[in-house]
Amino acid sequence: MSIATDKQKCLDCLAQSIADLQGQVDNEQLTKISNLIIQTMTGPWRSFHTPNHIFEVGAGGDAIEVISALFHDLVYVQVDQGISVNISRYISPYIKEDREQLVILEPPELQEDVIFQIVLMLFGFSHGQALLPMSGQNEFLSAIIAGKALENILPLAKLTEIAACIEATIPFRPQPASGLTSSDLLFGRLVNANEVFQLGWNDDEIAEIVKRSVRLSNRDVENFASPNSSHFLNNTWNLIPETNHDLKNVNSYTVHGYRVSMQKMEGFMNFLSPEIVFRRYRNEPDEKSYYKLLAQTKQNLEVSRLYLGTKLTSIAILEALSFRIGDDIPLSTMMGELPREDKLVIGLEKFLPEITDPHLPSTPIEAEVLGLLEKGRTVDSSYDIKNSPVATFMVKAIGFSEMQRMLGLSKEFFKGNLTHEQLIANCDSYVIETIKNAVVQLFDSRKAALSQ
């Protein structure tokens, strides 16, 4: 969709939701808020956390969920490389920057108001606390913006419900030693807020607020339970450039830069477990639906771990070979430029031979990953080709078990415990010679083109 279309859809969602909540519908004010949301969500580094994502997260939800979805990713410091001026005016009265870290202000410097006090309470944060990117920083600041932007439009109780939903979108939280889940903790904080600010809820109503927050939280990460692992990887490939900005420079990012981006995502997928992706609170979702989410997530994580690990091994070999040329060699130097519709591009895959007696997959997961490597993901990426010719060649030549052994050595190479020549020496000689010769033939093709 165009930005204009996104702004109109955002405005329509806001206006309808606020009307459903009997709020004060002021089209001029809502237009400003909608423009603010879409301008922020279409920043130059956004590729996954975009307007389409917030519309999907809100789809099918009630008015509180729709509004919460529109605001929940408004602040994303590590993606946007800071906080835009347009949204900073909402949060600058409450935070400061100290040694490149955001910190909650303390009285008397902090001029508190009711909205801020409620958000602070629901997140369990405190005055003077340093905010951490992976521990609620972005959601906390997004909740403040939602509350301040809507404080003259919706009553305090509804703003508190929105803040609770946004708090629940803090992802991938392990269960604390106390045994209480993040939803249990949110329930307790809502009970406190209800008493302090006299919001008029009973315990059953508070439990329903938490259930709603779980529904929104689970929709925020529903891609993890995609029934098609290729679709899951498509979204993963949209996530990668948000925190690896060098990849935006198509055909000029280095082998090392690409490897680091793969390495970070591979490490992240190995950290995750289905139980910290999706949550459940008081039969929301029901048991059957919940365990279906966990099973599909487990499948997708297994596929993604093997897929990313295999690609990481192949890029490690290319990186090791690239060190024979120089320190910061563009990936396009080793593999050729990305395909273009208006220009014939010769890539490394043209010079890799077919394996006549390939190693066959030994498990359904290996078979699926080989298909993804060979045929490619289902959606194009601006910074990468869909298929993985070097990884496919290596898997067929030496098999997944040997690729896993090489992955362990590759990680030692990344740490500096192995030199590039030691990594090359530990790899199958046929694989190394074939890839090396393919790179040389790619260079020769460029030489021939230059000599015309």
Side-chain angles (χ1 to χ4, degrees):
M1 286 192 287
S2 68
I3 290 180
T5 303
D6 286 334
K7 286 179 178 178
Q8 186 61 51
K9 183 172 182 177
C10 185
L11 176 60
D12 292 343
C13 289
L14 263 181
Q16 183 61 57
S17 298
I18 288 166
D20 291 346
L21 298 171
Q22 285 80 51
Q24 300 296 318
V25 179
D26 181 332
N27 279 332
E28 184 178 348
Q29 189 174 359
L30 292 186
T31 298
K32 291 179 181 178
I33 295 171
S34 301
N35 290 347
L36 178 74
I37 291 171
I38 300 305
Q39 283 170 359
T40 306
M41 299 298 293
T42 51
W45 307 115
R46 300 277 184 137
S47 53
F48 177 83
H49 295 95
T50 62
N52 188 55
H53 174 65
I54 58 176
F55 296 145
E56 287 179 347
V57 173
D62 64 18
I64 294 290
E65 292 171 67
V66 169
I67 295 171
S68 303
L70 294 177
F71 281 94
H72 83 286
D73 277 334
L74 201 55
V75 176
Y76 215 136
V77 175
Q78 58 269 47
V79 171
D80 297 328
Q81 294 188 316
I83 300 173
S84 75
V85 173
N86 292 336
I87 60 175
S88 64
R89 68 179 186 270
Y90 288 99
I91 54 181
S92 58
Y94 313 108
I95 61 169
K96 64 180 179 181
E97 189 171 347
D98 183 14
R99 287 171 289 187
E100 299 186 355
Q101 189 168 38
L102 298 179
V103 178
I104 300 172
L105 291 172
E106 298 183 80
E109 188 179 5
L110 171 67
Q111 301 297 311
E112 288 190 281
D113 55 49
V114 173
I115 298 292
F116 175 78
Q117 290 172 343
I118 285 179
V119 174
L120 191 72
M121 183 178 290
L122 293 188
F123 277 73
F125 291 174
S126 57
H127 299 142
Q129 178 175 333
L131 298 174
L132 301 174
M134 301 305 293
S135 299
Q137 166 187 271
N138 299 320
E139 293 79 7
F140 173 69
L141 298 177
S142 297
I144 292 175
I145 296 172
K148 297 304 293 181
L150 300 171
E151 65 179 333
N152 297 319
I153 296 174
L154 291 173
L156 187 61
K158 298 302 180 186
L159 296 176
T160 305
E161 293 179 51
I162 291 168
C165 273
I166 296 175
E167 192 280 340
T169 64
I170 301 173
F172 315 129
R173 287 180 277 187
Q175 187 167 310
S178 66
L180 297 174
T181 67
S182 59
S183 298
D184 294 326
L185 295 173
L186 180 58
F187 177 87
R189 292 168 189 154
L190 281 164
V191 168
N192 291 340
N194 184 47
E195 292 175 355
V196 172
F197 299 100
Q198 300 181 341
L199 299 172
W201 299 321
N202 60 40
D203 282 359
D204 287 342
E205 288 171 323
I206 294 173
E208 289 303 315
I209 293 171
V210 178
K211 285 183 181 180
R212 177 200 284 126
S213 78
V214 168
R215 288 196 296 273
L216 185 79
S217 169
N218 285 345
R219 279 205 303 278
D220 191 24
V221 292
E222 66 181 358
N223 166 61
F224 280 87
S226 171
N228 186 315
S229 56
S230 181
H231 293 164
F232 172 60
L233 285 170
N234 290 337
N235 282 306
T236 300
W237 248 247
N238 282 334
L239 271 171
I240 289 172
E242 286 198 334
T243 51
N244 298 276
H245 294 162
D246 287 348
L247 298 182
K248 291 283 189 176
N249 301 317
V250 177
N251 289 324
S252 65
Y253 57 81
T254 65
V255 182
H256 173 80
Y258 182 84
R259 183 266 289 175
V260 169
S261 69
M262 292 296 109
Q263 187 181 359
K264 286 196 287 188
M265 187 55 74
E266 193 262 354
F268 173 63
M269 290 299 177
N270 277 287
F271 153 77
L272 289 178
S273 67
E275 293 76 15
I276 68 170
V277 175
F278 290 99
R279 47 185 84 152
R280 184 170 185 250
Y281 180 77
R282 299 193 188 186
N283 206 40
E284 176 59 55
D286 64 78
E287 188 173 44
K288 182 179 179 181
S289 299
Y290 178 66
Y291 285 107
K292 183 179 179 181
L293 289 173
L294 296 190
Q296 191 59 58
T297 302
K298 181 176 183 290
Q299 166 82 6
N300 286 333
L301 288 176
E302 288 179 0
V303 169
S304 68
R305 286 165 185 160
L306 184 58
Y307 178 84
L308 285 161
T310 304
K311 283 184 69 72
L312 191 54
T313 301
S314 67
I315 199 66
I317 295 302
L318 282 173
E319 184 177 11
L321 288 170
S322 77
F323 274 113
R324 291 180 171 180
I325 305 171
D327 289 339
D328 287 305
I329 303 301
L331 184 61
S332 59
T333 299
M334 301 296 291
M335 291 196 64
E337 294 185 351
L338 294 176
R340 286 170 46 179
E341 291 182 1
D342 60 340
K343 180 182 177 182
L344 178 64
V345 174
I346 297 176
L348 187 66
E349 63 269 24
K350 176 180 172 64
F351 306 107
L352 291 172
E354 281 292 325
I355 303 294
T356 54
D357 186 20
H359 281 256
L360 299 177
S362 60
T363 67
I365 294 288
E366 289 185 357
E368 186 168 0
V369 169
L370 180 56
L372 287 166
L373 293 169
E374 187 168 18
K375 297 173 186 175
R377 302 177 304 278
T378 55
V379 174
D380 278 316
S381 165
S382 62
Y383 66 93
D384 199 7
I385 56 176
K386 290 191 290 186
N387 63 325
S388 307
V390 177
T392 301
F393 165 75
M394 290 181 69
V395 167
K396 289 185 174 183
I398 60 178
F400 278 106
S401 294
E402 178 64 10
M403 289 293 281
Q404 287 296 102
R405 184 186 77 86
M406 287 301 302
L407 176 60
L409 293 174
S410 297
K411 290 181 178 180
E412 292 302 306
F413 165 58
F414 304 151
K415 294 175 185 176
N417 297 332
L418 282 181
T419 67
H420 65 278
E421 291 297 343
Q422 287 173 324
L423 181 65
I424 290 170
N426 273 282
C427 188
D428 180 86
S429 59
Y430 170 71
V431 165
I432 291 294
E433 287 302 311
T434 304
I435 295 174
K436 184 174 64 176
N437 289 337
V439 174
V440 170
Q441 290 179 72
L442 178 63
F443 290 172
D444 286 341
S445 73
R446 290 166 170 162
K447 180 181 175 182
L450 185 62
S451 301
Q452 286 180 5

